[in-house]
């Protein structure tokens, strides 16, 4: 008999074109996790509304993100792939969880504080409630495992607290999720300012490699990457720029730091940068081609989304019914 696998949930927001940092930190790992866990991968479109979006762009990015998932190797036969807003239970469970969440614990969140500062003209309740919606995403599927980057660790903590709080206040209902942090190599920094994380919202386009960049753009951006004057290819904490390039090369070539240092002994930065760019391009470009093929077949993407929604909603409805019952909401039964 097949062993029952633990359930895993993760999601990315369709709020911009993902960078290689998003790919390495999230989607690339998802592909391998599919064989180990029962995976549910979502597109967190409701979360993006917490900052201003252009409606037509949001719709297009949702399509692009699902095409990217598929192009990277997320397999809708193995995993449940769906768009958050297609399953209304996420918003419904958020309401219930809101009634056991304290404003103080949300106001303390680092991301909330950062975003309220960066979007001072649009500090809204959704921005504050963001972690509760994320908790609903996870708890709705009784997910035991959640792969998250460092920046989402605090939010996962809230999800764990809410699960426990609910179970204590009412009756045992939710699994308490565990986070798994992706292995090393996940810390990809800006190419222009290696003290900061690579970010898709960086105003300087040379700071990041987007999953949409073509080979020439990738080479041009790596050529311009900030390094130092020592000119020795090595991972060295005091030289953040070259260390970042070594990390990126390691992830994309599968070579260890030691192997890379040996291979590039006596080789200049210029030549090394081209090698890094080639390694990245040889992964990214074929993904991009497949993504564009999917995008050209909108009917297929719609079909995948609808099937994913049906599978996700089946699980979510069952869970939400249990929650409604356990909090004391009356459910009428049809007798005839
Ligand atoms: N907040 C996550 C991010 O921006 C995306 C997300 C939404 C998520 N719901 C989730 C991640 C549930 C893990 C689990 O990266």
């Amino acid at each position: 008999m097949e062993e029952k696998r633990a359930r895993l949930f993760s999601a990315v927001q369709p709020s911009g074109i993902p960078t290689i940092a998003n790919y390495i930190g999230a989607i690339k790992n998802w592909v391998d996790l599919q064989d180990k866990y029962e995976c549910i991968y979502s597109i967190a479109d409701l979360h993006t509304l917490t900052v201003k979006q252009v409606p037509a762009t949001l719709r297009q990015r949702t399509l692009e993100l699902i095409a990217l998932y598929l192009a990277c190797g997320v397999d809708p036969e193995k995993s449940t792939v769906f768009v958050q807003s297609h399953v209304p239970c996420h918003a419904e469970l958020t309401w219930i969880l809101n009634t056991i969440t304290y404003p103080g614990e949300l106001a303390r969140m680092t991301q909330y504080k950062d975003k309220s500062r960066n979007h001072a003209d649009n500090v809204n309740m959704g921005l504050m409630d963001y972690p509760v919606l994320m908790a609903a995403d996870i708890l709705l599927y009784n997910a035991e495992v959640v792969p998250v980057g460092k920046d989402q660790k605090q939010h996962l903590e809230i999800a764990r607290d809410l699960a426990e709080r609910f179970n204590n206040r009412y009756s045992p209902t939710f699994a308490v999720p565990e986070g798994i942090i992706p292995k090393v190599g996940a810390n990809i920094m800006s190419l222009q300012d290696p003290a900061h994380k690579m970010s898709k919202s960086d105003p300087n386009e040379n700071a990041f490699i987007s999953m949409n960049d073509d080979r020439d753009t990738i080479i041009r951006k790596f050529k311009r990457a900030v390094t130092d004057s020592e000119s020795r290819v090595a991972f060295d904490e005091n030289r953040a720029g070259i260390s970042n390039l070594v990390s990126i090369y390691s992830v994309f070539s599968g070579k260890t730091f030691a192997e890379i240092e040996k291979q590039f002994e006596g080789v200049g930065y210029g030549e090394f940068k081209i090698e890094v760019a080639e390694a990245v391009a040889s992964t990214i470009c074929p993904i991009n081609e497949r993504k564009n093929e999917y995008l050209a077949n909108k009917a297929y993407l719609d079909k995948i989304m609808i099937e994913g929604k049906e599978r996700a909603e089946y699980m979510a409805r069952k869970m939400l019914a249990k929650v409604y019952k356990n909090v004391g909401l009356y459910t009428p039964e049809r007798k005839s």
Side-chain angles (χ1 to χ4, degrees), residues 20-317:
I20 56 168
N22 302 123
Y23 170 68
I24 294 303
I27 307 171
K28 182 173 184 283
N29 299 314
W30 289 7
V31 178
D32 303 327
L33 292 166
Q34 293 182 112
D35 296 316
K36 196 161 167 222
Y37 298 101
E38 183 195 333
C39 296
I40 304 172
Y41 295 130
S42 186
I43 293 185
D45 58 346
L46 294 173
H47 275 107
T48 66
L49 298 176
T50 57
V51 301
K52 278 185 192 142
Q53 302 291 332
V54 177
T57 310
L58 176 57
R59 275 192 287 272
Q60 180 58 27
R61 284 189 174 151
T62 301
L63 278 174
E64 289 211 20
L65 191 54
I66 195 155
L68 181 65
Y69 284 5
L70 302 180
C72 290
V74 170
D75 180 354
E77 300 274 320
K78 289 186 189 163
S79 306
T80 301
V81 183
F82 77 104
V83 178
Q84 187 187 35
S85 66
H86 297 175
V87 178
C89 307
H90 292 249
E92 295 171 274
L93 182 59
T94 300
W95 174 255
I96 301 291
L97 293 178
N98 271 336
T99 65
I100 61 163
T101 307
Y102 314 125
E105 61 190 335
L106 297 180
R108 262 203 321 271
M109 292 288 104
T110 309
Q111 191 179 84
Y112 172 68
K113 289 194 278 188
D114 287 350
K115 287 193 178 171
S116 330
R117 216 177 303 119
N118 298 339
H119 305 274
D121 59 333
N122 184 28
V123 182
N124 60 81
M125 288 306 294
L127 195 58
M128 195 166 177
D129 212 29
Y130 182 112
V132 181
L133 177 58
M134 183 163 153
D137 293 344
I138 298 166
L139 302 185
L140 207 42
Y141 299 92
N142 248 332
E144 295 152 87
V145 179
V146 182
V148 281
K150 272 200 207 123
D151 62 322
Q152 296 296 317
K153 259 179 83 176
Q154 258 191 342
H155 293 165
L156 184 67
E157 269 314 305
I158 291 241
R160 291 170 54 85
D161 289 348
L162 291 178
E164 279 170 359
R165 197 176 299 162
F166 187 99
N167 291 346
N168 289 334
R169 181 161 317 177
Y170 296 105
S171 49
T173 307
F174 295 121
V176 180
E178 294 286 341
I180 50 171
I181 305 283
K183 297 188 252 351
V184 270
N187 272 341
I188 295 189
M189 312 306 281
S190 157
L191 299 182
Q192 291 297 313
D193 176 8
H196 290 102
K197 265 179 50 169
M198 181 180 282
S199 160
K200 58 189 167 198
S201 50
D202 199 310
N204 181 353
E205 290 208 354
N206 288 321
F208 57 84
I209 306 288
S210 131
M211 292 299 285
N212 272 359
D213 284 345
D214 60 23
R215 194 168 166 278
D216 290 346
T217 309
I218 295 172
I219 292 176
R220 179 168 45 79
K221 288 184 177 178
F222 274 108
K223 275 188 180 166
R224 293 186 186 169
V226 169
T227 45
D228 56 78
S229 54
E230 199 175 313
S231 206
R232 187 171 51 82
V233 175
F235 189 92
D236 170 352
E237 274 170 21
N238 300 316
R239 294 184 296 144
I242 189 67
S243 298
N244 187 33
L245 297 184
V246 169
S247 301
I248 294 173
Y249 186 62
S250 168
V251 172
F252 282 91
S253 68
K255 293 173 189 165
T256 65
F257 292 172
E259 285 166 347
I260 296 168
E261 284 169 23
K262 191 145 176 260
Q263 182 186 349
F264 291 95
E265 223 180 287
V267 175
Y269 283 169
E271 210 175 303
F272 178 60
K273 284 175 170 178
I274 303 284
E275 284 294 318
V276 181
E278 294 287 0
V280 172
S282 70
T283 305
I284 299 309
C285 297
I287 291 178
N288 225 335
E289 273 169 37
R290 282 196 296 276
K291 189 186 97 176
N292 288 331
E293 284 167 22
Y294 283 120
L295 278 174
N297 191 350
K298 191 171 155 293
Y300 176 73
L301 294 178
D302 280 356
K303 175 173 160 282
I304 293 295
M305 281 192 248
I306 290 169
E307 287 172 1
K309 167 213 150 78
E310 284 167 356
R311 271 156 66 176
E313 192 164 30
Y314 178 79
M315 298 183 250
R317 273 284 153 224

Side-chain angles (χ1 to χ4, degrees), residues 321-333:
K322 191 167 146 192
V323 170
Y324 276 17
K325 177 167 168 284
N326 292 355
V327 298
L329 299 178
Y330 182 80
T331 311
E333 278 173 56

